[in-house]
Structure formats: C-alpha cells, structure tokens
Amino acid sequence: MDDIKYDACRIMAEAYKSIGEYSLAKAAINKIPEIYFTKLEVAALLLDGEDMYEPAHRQKNLAADVLIEMLMRLSDYYTEKGEKEKSKVQLIIAKKVIDAFKDDFTAEFFKNTFYQNNKDVLKDIEAKLNN
C-alpha cells in the first residue's frame, strides 16, 4: 500500500514540475521516505546461485543507470553555476562509466534504462565535452 502512495507522490512531483509548480513538486517529494536499499540489492547480497543472478544484474544496471543520470544532472548544475571545469569532470566520469559498461549494456537486463532509452547520451556528453 505504501508503494502506491509513494509512487503517487513521485507522479505528483513530476506533474507539478512540468507545470512550473516547483514548491508543490518539492512538497510532494518530501513526503517520500529516504530508502537506502532495494529489494534487488538485498536479494543480490543475501541469496545464492540462480536466486542471486537476476537481482544482481538488475541492481548493477540500475546503479549504473542512476549514476549516469546523476552525473549528467550535476554537470548541468555546474554549467548553470558557470563552473565549466566541474561540469566537464562530471561528463568525463559519465563517459567512463558508459565505456566501462559498454559491452554489458547489451545484456537482457539493461533494456529499459536511461542509457538504452537515450541512445544519444554518449553523443551529448561528447558534444558538451568538445564545447
């Protein structure tokens, strides 16, 4: 039941942001509790063999996906602040993460992720690095 409530808060926050209601988006986000682990992570760490395999893949790819997204967001933040070097550092790290996982991104478990759904992410990073 809580998962539905918190997902509704997330959807409300997205809707509020899309219509320019930043303070309402922030209020909706503040209703969501901070959770520092996922079911996938716990399963990957505590189970063995086949029971561990899929959760470990999914959590690994989720973590890589979120890391890339956060690096891009931080780069945008630094750009807005006029701190181009800090922005570039974030982009370089994102590119290295993508390169490090490049062979693994074709795995079945990585189909619905930020990187796979935004094929131009690497091109965007390289374009920003060249500016």
Side-chain angles (χ1 to χ4, degrees), residues 41-96:
E41 181 183 355
V42 172
L45 293 172
L46 299 179
L47 301 177
D48 296 319
E50 292 300 315
D51 293 328
M52 171 278 304
Y53 182 75
E54 185 174 340
H57 264 289
R58 290 187 183 279
Q59 181 62 35
K60 173 194 67 178
N61 294 333
L62 177 63
D65 186 50
V66 170
L67 178 58
I68 293 165
E69 270 189 289
M70 294 305 108
L71 289 163
M72 299 291 289
R73 295 287 293 153
L74 288 169
S75 172
D76 291 344
Y77 171 81
Y78 287 128
T79 297
E80 289 171 13
K81 294 286 189 184
E83 299 183 52
K84 290 183 180 183
E85 286 308 309
K86 287 182 180 180
S87 175
K88 283 190 175 191
V89 167
Q90 300 306 302
L91 294 172
I92 290 167
I93 295 169
K95 185 178 181 317
K96 287 179 182 178

